[in-house]
Each structure stands twice: as C-alpha cells, then as structure tokens.
Amino acid sequence: DAGITQSPRHKVTETGTPVTLRCHQTENHRYMYWYRQDPGHGLRLIHYSYGVKDTDKGEVSDGYSVSRSKTEDFLLTLESATSSQTSVYFCAISDPGQNTGELFFGEGSRLTVL
Amino acid sequence: QKEVEQDPGPLSVPEGAIVSLNCTYSNSAFQYFMWYRQYSRKGPELLMYTYSSGNKEDGRFTAQVDKSSKYISLFIRDSQPSDSATYLCAMWGGSNYKLTFGKGTLLTVNP
C-alpha cells in the first residue's frame, strides 16, 4: 500500500468554524491532490500541488485553501466551514516520473458540518 | 457534454455472472485509461490500466478500449461477492497530471 495517511479520519464541526485536513505521504511523490467525493458527483478535484509551495486550483476550489511547506505534507483548509462542504475528502499522490497518470489514494476523511 | 460519462447504476448481479461496466468520453487527447475499484468507506485503488486501444486481461478482469468510438469497458467474469464495490473509470491525456474520473458504478454481487 502507498504510504498515505490522512488525519483526522472523521470530524464533526459547526458552520463557520475553520477546519484543516492533513495528508502525509512517505513515498516522496512530487504531486499531491485533494478530492471530495459526493453522491451523484463522483470525485471532484479541489486543489493540487506539483511541488513544495507550488499549488493550483481544481474544479471546486471555492471555499478551500491549501498549503505545502514540505514534500510529504499537503494541508487542506476550510476557512469557514459550510454545510455544503460536508463530504468525504480524499488525498492522492502521483509520481510524474512513471508517466502513467496513476493516482494513489488515502483512506479518506469524513467531514460533517452541522 | 461532460468529458467522461459513466452510468452510476446501481448494478446487482448473481454470483458467477459476467459483468460489463462502461464509460464514454469526449476528449480525443485521452491516451491512458484506468479502472479504479473502491470498497465501501475506503479510498479508490487502481484495478486495471491500459494505454491506447485494445484489450488487457488480468485474471477474471478484462479492460477494453475503443478509441475510435471513445468507449471503454471493464468485464468481470465469474463475479464474486468480493467484487461488490464502486468501479470508477479514469482517463489521462498525458500532459497535466490530472485524471478525469467518471462518477462510478456501484456493483453488488449477490451470493
């Protein structure tokens, strides 16, 4: 299994509070991604990173920010959580050197915003 | 039209049945085609990977790509209850390191 750890795995919070999800990898892969998965929408890319301090937006980035200060860590922050951000969040990593596009996923973080 | 279309199902079959899962796509730049399997409350994991057109077989699983029709399929022979999962197709154009996913098909194989 790819060495990807997401924390917390489960979180319940209230509307308006800040939330940070952490993704930690031990594979030294250059690319890291945050997806959310919702019924009827599938996996949607929030933000991704192609190196330390290098990040870019995905298709559903509004309300989210990310940071990557080390190769192994990619943080996803909800500055002021809303009920529409209740979802399962997946971190993924990829190695561009493989030239296959394959992603390795973490186990997911289930967030409920009340 | 979305770049990748996948029937979400759900699909329910008896044990031993042949299962066919399909995706269509519109972007001619896609070159790499993957199928991910996702068990309940787990992250997706790569099941099959193909490049360009043709068939690829791995045990009970066969992935098929028809680039002329922009259509990919995953066949599961002798399906087992352990195959019950959501299957997601994914595609990559080779340039921006972002996969495009289908919405996934929920499969249940009944004993």
Side-chain angles (χ1 to χ4, degrees):
Chain A
D1 291 343
I4 307 169
T5 305
Q6 292 186 229
S7 60
R9 294 291 312 281
H10 301 272
K11 186 172 182 66
V12 180
T13 191
E14 295 190 348
T15 298
T17 60
V19 175
T20 295
L21 305 180
R22 179 181 183 241
C23 178
H24 179 78
Q25 62 146 329
T26 58
E27 305 297 320
N28 201 35
H29 282 358
R30 183 177 157 203
Y31 277 69
M32 299 186 75
Y33 309 78
W34 277 108
Y35 285 87
R36 61 178 290 176
Q37 187 174 39
D38 305 285
H41 293 279
L43 282 165
R44 292 183 290 175
L45 182 63
I46 304 171
H47 282 279
Y48 68 102
S49 170
Y50 46 95
V52 173
K53 298 192 189 304
D54 292 323
T55 65
D56 205 351
K57 296 179 180 180
E59 60 183 297
V60 290
S61 60
D62 287 348
Y64 302 95
S65 62
V66 291
S67 65
R68 191 169 178 199
S69 59
K70 298 186 289 185
T71 299
E72 58 266 36
D73 290 328
F74 192 32
L75 303 181
L76 177 70
T77 298
L78 292 66
E79 300 291 348
S80 178
T82 67
S83 58
S84 64
Q85 294 175 311
T86 292
S87 187
V88 181
Y89 292 85
F90 287 99
C91 174
I93 64 175
S94 71
D95 178 8
Q98 283 190 313
N99 204 35
T100 63
E102 179 182 358
L103 294 182
F104 301 90
F105 285 86
E107 293 285 271
S109 294
R110 188 171 295 269
L111 176 66
T112 301
V113 183
L114 301 176
Chain B
Q1 182 187 10
K2 293 187 71 67
E3 278 194 299
V4 178
E5 300 275 6
Q6 182 176 11
D7 186 341
L11 184 61
S12 181
V13 302
E15 183 175 353
I18 296 174
V19 176
S20 172
L21 303 168
N22 311 293
C23 288
T24 59
Y25 64 95
S26 58
N27 189 343
S28 299
F30 289 141
Q31 303 173 51
Y32 300 83
F33 305 91
M34 300 163 221
W35 286 95
Y36 281 79
R37 179 174 61 193
Q38 184 178 20
Y39 291 116
S40 180
R41 297 184 175 269
K42 296 289 188 180
E45 57 181 353
L46 185 67
L47 181 63
M48 297 282 289
Y49 169 90
T50 54
Y51 170 71
S52 193
S53 287
N55 292 0
K56 183 175 182 179
E57 194 171 311
D58 184 1
R60 296 183 295 108
F61 299 88
T62 299
Q64 191 173 81
V65 175
D66 182 348
K67 293 188 75 176
S68 62
S69 301
K70 296 188 176 67
Y71 190 87
I72 70 169
S73 300
L74 178 70
F75 298 96
I76 308 174
R77 292 184 299 280
D78 187 25
S79 57
Q80 301 296 309
S82 59
D83 295 328
S84 297
T86 296
Y87 290 81
L88 302 102
C89 62
M91 306 177 190
W92 181 48
S95 62
N96 64 3
Y97 298 104
K98 290 188 290 182
L99 290 188
T100 301
F101 285 90
K103 292 184 179 180
T105 300
L106 176 61
L107 170 68
T108 301
V109 181
N110 301 297

